Amino acid sequence: MGAMTEQTLQRQVLRWLKHHHSNAFVWKIADRWRAGLPDLFILEQGRVTFIELKVNAQQPRPLQVVTLQRLRQAGANAVVCWTLADVQRLF
């Protein structure tokens, strides 16, 4: 089996959130006009979490790092996750 793709990880994460956090509002952010936005927005019980998904040894691009920092400064939980287990630890 080859290396996991970001798309495969995203499907796993969305499936897990649907089954284990069915009351959460989950939005897959896909805005080709605004670079740097995280992949997922999750709102659950008043808690806002932004997740940038990466696989293997990929690192966030500089603009993604700045965006995550700005989201944290605004009060959100904004993180990079490389595996489904990383996401599960957040919740």
Side-chain angles (χ1 to χ4, degrees), residues 8-39:
T8 300
L9 175 60
Q10 188 172 90
R11 278 196 304 267
Q12 289 177 354
V13 168
L14 291 171
R15 189 177 312 118
W16 182 81
L17 287 167
K18 180 179 178 181
H19 288 114
H20 296 279
H21 294 271
S22 59
N23 290 328
F25 176 81
V26 179
W27 180 28
K28 178 180 150 188
I29 301 172
D31 186 347
R32 66 183 184 162
W33 305 111
R34 180 149 170 112
L37 291 176
D39 296 306

Side-chain angles (χ1 to χ4, degrees), residues 14 17 19 21 23-24 41-43 49 66 71 73 86 88:
L14 291 171
L17 287 167
H19 288 114
H21 294 271
N23 290 328
F41 166 86
I42 300 139
L43 174 62
T49 302
V66 169
L71 290 166
Q73 290 169 349
D86 290 343
Q88 291 168 332

